[in-house]
Amino acid sequence: MSLNKSVFSKKKIILGITASIAAYKAAYICSKLTGMGAGVIPVMTPNALNFIAPLTLSSISGNKTVVDQFENQKKIYHISLSHSADVFLIAPASADVISKLSYGVGDNFLTTSAISATCPVLVAPAMNESMYLDPVIQQNINHLKESGKYFFVGPASGKLACGEEGPGRMEDEDIIIERLGELLKYKSDLKGKNILITAGGTKEFIDPVRFISNRSSGKMGYALAEEARSRGAKEVILVSAAEKSLKPYGIKIVYAGDTAGMKRALLEYLKDSDIVMMAAAVSDIVPVKKYNFKLKKKDDILSKIKFKENENILELLAEKKKKDQYLVGFAAETDYSIEAVKDKLKGRNIDMIVGNDISTKSIGMGSDYNEVDLVRQDGSVKKLARDKKRIIARGIWDEIVKNLDAVKNQ
Ligand SMILES: Cc1cc2nc3c(=O)[nH]c(=O)nc-3n(C[C@H](O)[C@H](O)[C@H](O)COP(=O)(O)O)c2cc1C
């Protein structure tokens, strides 16, 4: 096992411990992390007190173990603590705490802190096989994974404390620590980078009540923005036409409903951006004339509405793009082919196009799911299999980070 110890140095790690027989193993994890220079703050559920003494963890870490949600701690401690952490580890994680987090139940300090955490949360389940394989527990685990904030390590298969054998054993402590190290690295993948992303379908108004638009929901752009924030980007600006979407935490939203607004915002922020992703579905056609009064049916309405081809904002950005900026375009087609995506890249100053087939409603526009091809300027293609958009967003960023690293090491 290759463990880069320096990645833990001076990092603030919350170590959450729940009521499982494996709770005693948390002492080893705490000791190892502390030994590598991390500041470990142990947090226990009240039920976990039946399995291990808080004094053990306080003594090893040198920090007071937090249990009581309402103890007069520093000001609103569950928020200030979780917001200051680099990573949050829950090891062991009970079926109970996993399920509570899946439903957003914050009934003790550990669960409340995990809900408010803005850093990645690594969960190491530990439970009897029958509990782990229970369909509701599986559903709750998947729910947390798909959120993008929660990562899982294990469980391992083997002899369980109850004498049975099967999956449910908490993963080996050293493997948990190794995974934690990977997450700390992931968390600084985009450190110092300014990210500019567009999302949603533009609405091109004909008159004050009518417009032409498309089915784009903005979910892909929002997922990309959230993933960029999780990976430590300096600033994430989301130029959004999806005005009904919830504003994600830690992301600057600039609402831009139509092409003109989107173009204005992009030109304003382009200069200071390191990576630009055009995930919005900008209308291909716009009305020739925009009326400032509602057209009446009786006034020969059809003769008054004419459309023209819209300007290509991606092309505009490609022309303005500097050498050290990374530009990503998106292509969604019903007669989709990778060859057509490759053609779109040819001779254009675009680094990558994310292509997807929108001939079915189960992926792409409007759906929570996507399945994409990442086509690069050199013609290489990486396929990302169907998954929740947040997980697809992670795959897209993985590829970009890899490309940026390769350029840096040239
Ligand atoms: C001896 C014993 C061992 C237990 N081990 C586990 C376990 O490994 N995993 C688990 O999910 N629950 C286990 N439980 C059940 C939990 O302790 C119980 O669900 C508890 O409410 C969880 O509390 P918490 O999630 O707030 O820590 C165990 C219970 C007992 C009595």
Side-chain angles (χ1 to χ4, degrees):
M1 185 176 51
S2 64
L3 187 65
N4 178 3
K5 293 184 181 173
S6 65
V7 82
F8 295 96
S9 174
K10 297 196 170 57
K11 292 294 184 309
K12 188 166 182 176
I13 300 171
I14 300 177
L15 172 59
I17 301 150
T18 70
S20 154
I21 295 180
Y24 73 94
K25 296 180 180 175
Y28 173 85
I29 296 175
C30 183
S31 161
K32 199 89 194 260
L33 293 175
T34 308
M36 289 187 290
V40 180
I41 315 293
V43 171
M44 291 171 65
T45 62
N47 288 337
L49 297 176
N50 293 296
F51 291 84
I52 184 171
L55 182 60
T56 306
L57 294 145
S58 302
S59 307
I60 296 172
S61 66
N63 291 312
K64 185 178 185 301
T65 302
V66 192
V67 182
D68 187 353
Q69 166 130 264
F70 301 106
E71 195 184 358
N72 193 12
Q73 298 265 3
K74 288 176 210 163
K75 205 176 164 209
I76 319 191
Y77 195 40
H78 63 277
I79 306 286
S80 61
L81 177 65
S82 67
H83 283 197
S84 65
D86 291 293
V87 69
F88 195 140
L89 168 65
I90 308 179
S94 63
D96 175 62
V97 155
I98 288 171
S99 303
K100 281 176 185 165
L101 293 178
S102 169
Y103 284 91
V105 177
D107 63 342
N108 59 47
F109 190 87
L110 192 157
T111 47
T112 319
S113 305
I115 292 169
S116 60
T118 52
C119 62
V121 181
L122 180 62
V123 182
M127 63 198 75
N128 173 271
E129 179 191 11
S130 58
M131 291 174 85
Y132 179 66
L133 295 177
D134 177 80
V136 173
I137 299 300
Q138 284 299 314
Q139 199 178 314
N140 292 342
I141 288 173
N142 279 336
H143 195 198
L144 289 176
K145 279 183 185 167
E146 287 169 353
S147 73
K149 173 170 136 180
Y150 293 89
F151 295 77
F152 279 73
V153 54
S157 263
K159 196 129 185 93
L160 302 168
C162 53
E164 293 176 14
E165 244 181 277
R169 224 180 124 85
M170 188 171 89
E171 185 53 278
D172 180 86
E173 295 92 297
D174 288 320
I175 295 179
I176 294 175
I177 292 169
E178 194 184 357
R179 186 77 186 98
L180 201 63
E182 286 167 11
L183 271 189
L184 282 168
K185 195 181 160 298
Y186 156 92
K187 214 212 145 207
S188 59
D189 269 352
L190 294 174
K191 201 171 157 193
K193 299 266 190 265
N194 288 322
I195 314 292
L196 182 59
I197 302 174
T198 62
T202 61
K203 283 184 181 143
E204 312 297 341
F205 277 85
I206 297 163
D207 68 15
V209 294
R210 302 180 179 94
F211 58 82
I212 180 156
S213 189
N214 55 65
R215 280 202 301 117
S216 171
S217 60
K219 287 175 189 167
M220 195 66 243
Y222 276 68
L224 286 162
E226 286 181 41
E227 181 65 15
R229 185 210 55 218
S230 298
R231 297 174 98 122
K234 187 168 153 201
E235 184 170 44
V236 183
I237 299 176
L238 187 58
V239 179
S240 172
E243 59 197 8
K244 286 196 182 125
S245 298
L246 203 61
K247 183 194 170 306
Y249 180 84
I251 288 165
K252 176 172 172 165
I253 300 275
V254 179
Y255 286 108
D258 60 5
T259 308
M262 203 162 260
K263 182 176 154 187
R264 240 187 342 265
L266 285 168
L267 292 181
E268 182 179 345
Y269 297 111
L270 177 68
K271 191 167 55 69
D272 298 321
S273 302
D274 298 293
I275 302 168
V276 182
M277 305 177 99
M278 282 292 292
V282 178
S283 184
D284 290 319
I285 48 173
V286 287
V288 172
K289 182 173 173 174
K290 183 175 163 185
Y291 294 88
N292 59 10
F293 55 90
K294 185 183 171 236
L295 293 169
K296 290 192 192 302
K297 217 165 26 178
K298 66 175 175 58
D299 293 340
D300 192 13
I301 189 166
L302 280 180
S303 70
K304 296 198 166 67
I305 302 175
K306 289 200 171 50
F307 292 101
K308 62 176 182 183
E309 231 179 86
N310 199 3
E311 65 179 314
N312 188 333
I313 308 189
L314 180 61
E315 198 58 57
L316 181 73
L317 296 181
E319 281 162 19
K320 293 189 175 294
K321 178 180 110 78
K322 285 181 275 167
K323 213 167 169 278
D324 57 352
Q325 290 179 309
Y326 198 93
L327 178 61
V328 183
F330 282 69
E333 301 292 347
T334 48
D335 61 345
Y336 177 77
S337 81
I338 291 184
E339 290 317 310
V341 178
K342 283 184 180 173
D343 279 348
K344 281 194 184 207
L345 270 172
K346 267 188 203 140
R348 295 169 84 190
N349 196 17
I350 299 168
D351 297 283
M352 180 194 281
I353 288 191
V354 179
N356 72 307
D357 183 349
I358 48 164
S359 59
T360 147
K361 283 195 175 167
S362 67
I363 55 164
M365 271 192 183
S367 168
D368 286 341
Y369 290 83
N370 216 348
E371 179 181 327
V372 301
D373 296 313
L374 311 182
V375 185
R376 286 173 54 198
Q377 189 52 253
D378 63 6
S380 63
V381 179
K382 179 159 176 73
K383 285 184 162 297
L384 298 180
R386 184 179 188 275
D387 215 324
K388 273 269 168 118
K389 282 188 171 163
R390 178 63 197 261
I391 305 304
I392 294 290
R394 180 167 301 153
I396 296 173
W397 276 117
D398 280 346
E399 191 63 10
I400 294 172
V401 167
K402 214 162 69 188
N403 296 172
L404 294 177
D405 282 350
V407 171
K408 209 165 55 191
N409 297 329
Q410 262 171 19

